[in-house]
Amino acid sequence: MGVSATFQMLAELLPEQRLALAEAALREPFLELQTAALSVLIDPAGLNRPDLVVQHYTDLLPEVRRRVAAQPQLFQAAVREEILSGSEWARRAGYEVVAAMDGFNAMATLARAFSDPSALVRECAADLLEGLAQRYYYHLVAFRMHGDPQSREFVERHRDAVIRSLGDLLRAYPAHGKRVFLDLAIESDPDSYPLVTDVVLARRDVPTFAAFVAALSSSPTRSAVELLFKLYLEPRTRLREVAVEVMRMRHDAAFASLVAATLARMPQDAFESLARRVREIPWWGAVEAAPDLDPISAAKMIEFVAKSGLEREARDAKILWFHSSPYPEVRARVLATLQALDYPSISDLAAGFLQDPSDDVKLAAARAIVALGSPNKTRLLLPFLTSTRPELREISAREVSGASFDRYLRSFDTLDPRTRELAAKALAKIDHRIVERLAEEITSLDADRRLKALRIIDYVEAQGNLRELLLELLRDPDRRIRATVLKIVELTGSLEGMKHLVEALNDPDARVRANAIEAFEDGGDPRTAPLLVPFLTDPDNRARANAAKALHVFGRPEGRQALEAMVEDPNEMMRLSGVWAVGEAGFDGAADLLLARGRREPSATVKSKISDSLLKLAQRSKTSEGAPRPAEA
């Protein structure tokens, strides 16, 4: 016999018996039993006891509960009676049913349960309200943060019911302690703003105040930041103090991004008005927690600080904080902003940014240096004449070309060798009068200027254009100049040049003689060997070593013999030059010669040179062994 047939047979029993059996069936966890019992109990012509269904609502299976919620007209009166009954259990069941039937419209009724004498009833109502609030909060955030259309429809459908009950829920916070109602108040602004200011934040000495401050200090939403700014701009001191307090508590990087986004959405006049009113930035702790703040957010924060009412020193320090940002555009903005604010150390800052790894930042720094008219701009920009960035290269070239040749000469001694050479080559490209200027310099009465000019001539390879003037310098009274000319001018290719070289061999200055000997070797003509033989006994170690090495290169045995003798010479300087020349000559047995001397050498300086020469010989030998051999015939 089925359940339906069984309940039809029960119709023949007395009402009291039927009622007891139907009520018992509601407690059984079987769908057919509960469904049949529900039908009998709600039938106006039958038992007509919907109140029993309400009382046993917690025992019902989900499917049966849905049937009850779908027929509110049958249970509304019973629910009201149960809520007002003297039974704790019945009141609790009444609130559960009204929540199921009316949903968000039941929030006001459920809120009244917070005055119920039963803790069980109050807890039940709080849980029901929490569930509704969480659903609404989820859709509210989804709508506000992502613009979800379904969530928007949900929020608009239930907004009035939620806002109507929110005041009661906030006032009753100490009775339920549900954080979600505080989050709703934050996220529902501006609808909830009067409740926040006049209810939640009315008194500091109530639990709700502290709980709301805690919620606001940890909320991850844009609405929380917007609410904080509304409070921050309040004329009422107590509300502004709350905003400052919460902002100081926020030390999370996400908050810095949210603040920047909020500032970006403000109308420009409102943004600037707010900035001018600021005498401190209470959210700066969050900024410091975000060293990699994204470029858009960082830019807005820099702009706000720049327009703020902070003291100049504090303002500039906060802008400078961003100079270590991982984003080049942020670092460049720091420089541009401080330049606009007439930062006292802007020249030093711009010079420092020339070392930035980003070409964009270097370019911004170069522009700043030019705009500032820095007295060191030429020196600072010289290294960028060979930059791969066209704009940076153009700026540097323009500034360097605008500097006078005399200015370059004045800075010559302060530049490192590499920068000197780069500058000289750059000048040669952009200054078409460079040869004329150098010609003037090598005829100067100042020996130092003549020597600098010779070095520049070597850098820019202008020897051919100035050959006649250079040859005249071979008779210059300054030995440094005579020696330098011999190093940079090709003399072995002509009779006149050879004549000058021969004359240089008789120069009283040892450096000139040594350079002349080296020039003969570079010429590669063995017929000049007899000219060098007398210098195997030259009193100068460098001249003697150069002569011995050149003669060895020309195939003369006395060259090697002289080198072997120098390695054993009592004079330390002779041994030092001899060891160097042996390493350069690299004849068979050179390594054995040096090793033998090294075991007996008392001078640490000579020993070091022996090590250098042995290393050079080893490297040369390795390179030679690795070279491809000619194919056999």
Side-chain angles (χ1 to χ4, degrees):
M1 182 181 295
V3 173
S4 298
T6 300
F7 270 84
Q8 288 176 358
M9 290 181 60
L10 294 179
E12 300 175 3
L13 299 177
L14 294 173
E16 294 80 4
Q17 293 174 321
R18 293 169 58 200
L19 188 62
L21 291 171
E23 186 174 4
L26 286 178
R27 291 193 292 267
E28 294 296 327
F30 299 104
L31 181 59
E32 286 185 291
L33 282 175
Q34 289 189 0
T35 301
L38 175 65
S39 299
V40 170
L41 289 170
I42 64 175
D43 184 2
L47 294 176
N48 193 23
R49 289 293 303 275
D51 57 309
L52 289 179
V53 177
V54 173
Q55 292 172 15
H56 290 282
Y57 183 78
T58 55
D59 297 325
L60 301 180
L61 296 171
E63 176 61 28
V64 182
R65 288 189 180 190
R66 284 192 288 271
R67 290 188 60 183
V68 171
Q71 304 177 79
Q73 71 281 1
L74 298 178
F75 296 97
Q76 286 174 344
V79 166
R80 285 194 295 272
E81 290 177 3
E82 297 306 317
I83 287 176
L84 297 174
S85 75
S87 167
E88 175 185 74
W89 179 57
R91 295 198 303 277
R92 177 186 175 188
Y95 284 120
E96 289 182 340
V97 175
V98 76
M101 291 191 307
D102 297 340
F104 288 93
N105 291 324
M107 291 183 73
T109 301
L110 292 169
R112 290 198 290 272
F114 291 133
S115 61
D116 195 282
S118 167
L120 183 64
V121 174
R122 295 195 301 272
E123 183 179 348
C124 174
D127 290 343
L128 293 169
L129 283 163
E130 183 180 33
L132 291 168
Q134 286 176 338
R135 285 180 60 201
Y136 183 81
Y137 181 77
Y138 167 80
H139 286 286
L140 184 59
V141 171
F143 161 50
R144 293 207 162 181
M145 293 186 67
H146 309 296
D148 181 68
Q150 293 181 336
S151 292
R152 175 176 182 171
E153 181 185 354
F154 183 93
V155 169
E156 290 178 348
R157 186 166 66 249
H158 300 298
R159 178 188 285 114
D160 291 343
V162 172
I163 298 302
R164 277 198 309 269
S165 62
L166 189 56
D168 292 333
L169 297 175
L170 294 173
R171 291 184 185 90
Y173 180 81
H176 56 71
K178 299 294 186 182
R179 159 75 184 260
V180 67
F181 303 136
L182 303 177
D183 291 334
L184 263 183
I186 295 170
E187 200 64 29
S188 296
D189 183 67
D191 294 333
S192 61
Y193 191 69
L195 292 174
V196 170
T197 58
D198 301 333
V199 176
V200 179
L201 301 179
R203 292 175 54 188
R204 280 184 170 268
D205 59 346
V206 295
T208 310
F209 183 97
F212 185 78
V213 167
L216 199 53
S217 67
S218 60
S219 176
T221 68
R222 192 173 68 191
S223 297
V225 181
E226 291 174 347
L227 175 58
L228 277 172
F229 271 99
K230 287 180 72 171
L231 295 171
Y232 186 76
L233 294 171
E234 272 279 354
R236 289 172 282 186
T237 303
R238 64 180 178 85
L239 297 177
R240 189 174 187 279
E241 288 176 348
V242 170
V244 171
E245 179 182 341
V246 172
M247 287 176 175
R248 286 175 177 165
M249 294 169 65
R250 297 294 296 252
H251 289 86
D252 51 305
F255 185 70
S257 297
L258 289 171
V259 168
T262 301
L263 294 174
R265 285 192 299 275
M266 286 185 180
Q268 188 62 23
D269 56 345
F271 170 82
E272 294 185 5
S273 175
L274 171 62
R276 286 191 296 269
R277 292 167 54 186
V278 164
R279 296 295 179 269
E280 66 165 333
I281 300 182
W283 62 83
W284 193 253
V287 176
E288 292 182 338
D292 56 349
L293 193 63
D294 67 273
I296 295 176
S297 298
K300 201 63 185 177
M301 205 67 74
I302 291 171
E303 181 186 1
F304 185 86
V305 175
K307 295 180 182 296
S308 71
L310 293 175
E311 292 291 334
R312 179 170 185 161
E313 186 175 345
R315 177 200 67 190
D316 293 350
K318 282 180 166 51
I319 295 173
L320 269 175
W321 185 88
F322 289 95
H323 89 286
S324 57
S325 167
Y327 300 104
E329 54 266 55
V330 176
R331 302 195 296 274
R333 182 173 289 272
V334 168
L335 181 61
T337 303
L338 288 174
Q339 183 181 351
L341 293 173
D342 294 327
Y343 176 58
S345 301
I346 187 63
S347 295
D348 293 339
L349 183 66
F353 271 128
L354 283 175
Q355 308 306 316
D356 194 275
S358 165
D359 280 348
D360 288 337
V361 180
K362 289 188 182 79
L363 180 59
R367 287 171 175 163
I369 287 170
V370 172
L372 292 166
S374 172
N376 299 322
K377 64 179 179 180
T378 303
R379 178 175 61 81
L380 292 171
L381 296 176
L382 279 175
F384 302 101
L385 289 168
T386 56
S387 171
T388 57
R389 182 71 177 267
E391 301 96 323
L392 185 55
R393 193 168 60 245
E394 289 169 9
I395 289 176
S396 302
R398 184 176 66 247
E399 293 306 313
V400 171
S401 66
S404 67
F405 187 75
D406 287 340
R407 190 171 177 180
Y408 168 60
L409 287 179
R410 287 196 300 271
S411 64
F412 189 87
D413 290 334
T414 65
L415 302 176
D416 61 84
R418 178 61 176 163
T419 304
R420 288 177 185 170
E421 182 175 356
L422 288 174
K425 290 180 177 178
L427 282 170
K429 291 179 180 179
I430 61 181
D431 188 347
H432 300 300
R433 296 187 62 244
I434 185 72
V435 175
E436 295 175 32
R437 298 183 193 279
L438 289 170
E440 294 172 1
E441 289 301 313
I442 59 177
T443 59
S444 169
L445 295 178
D446 186 335
D448 286 338
R449 291 182 67 175
R450 297 198 301 277
L451 185 61
K452 291 176 185 177
L454 288 175
R455 293 176 180 172
I456 297 170
I457 289 170
D458 191 27
Y459 291 151
V460 301
E461 299 178 355
Q463 298 93 326
N465 297 322
L466 297 169
R467 180 180 175 82
E468 295 303 320
L469 288 175
L470 292 174
L471 291 178
E472 293 179 13
L473 292 180
L474 287 171
R475 298 183 180 88
D476 194 279
D478 191 299
R479 60 182 178 80
R480 299 173 301 165
I481 294 174
R482 299 195 304 274
T484 302
V485 172
L486 287 171
K487 292 289 286 184
I488 69 173
V489 180
E490 173 60 50
L491 297 174
T492 58
S494 67
L495 183 61
E496 182 185 10
M498 292 293 291
K499 178 181 176 182
H500 286 298
L501 277 179
V502 171
E503 290 178 358
L505 290 176
N506 297 314
D507 197 283
D509 186 82
R511 181 185 299 182
V512 176
R513 297 197 304 274
N515 286 354
I517 294 168
E518 202 167 45
F520 275 110
E521 180 187 341
D522 291 341
D525 188 349
R527 291 176 299 175
T528 62
L531 296 173
L532 307 182
V533 172
F535 294 95
L536 293 178
T537 57
D538 195 285
D540 179 72
N541 57 295
R542 183 181 167 195
R544 187 184 297 187
N546 281 359
K549 180 165 72 73
L551 288 168
H552 169 72
V553 170
F554 291 153
R556 299 288 291 263
E558 58 262 53
R560 173 171 177 167
Q561 294 165 5
L563 290 176
E564 292 173 343
M566 287 186 74
V567 169
E568 299 294 335
D569 196 285
N571 184 288
E572 179 181 344
M573 296 305 297
M574 285 292 179
R575 296 199 304 278
L576 190 66
S577 293
V579 166
W580 168 81
V582 169
E584 293 293 317
F587 48 74
D588 290 341
D592 293 336
L593 176 65
L594 294 176
L595 286 170
R597 182 64 212 177
R599 287 191 287 269
R600 294 178 283 105
E601 178 58 50
S603 167
T605 303
V606 177
K607 278 189 172 183
S608 177
K609 181 59 68 175
I610 289 173
S611 297
D612 292 342
S613 293
L614 285 170
L615 179 61
K616 183 177 294 186
L617 289 170
Q619 290 173 338
R620 189 180 303 156
S621 175
K622 184 176 181 181
T623 302
S624 175
E625 289 175 1
R629 297 181 178 179
E632 294 183 3

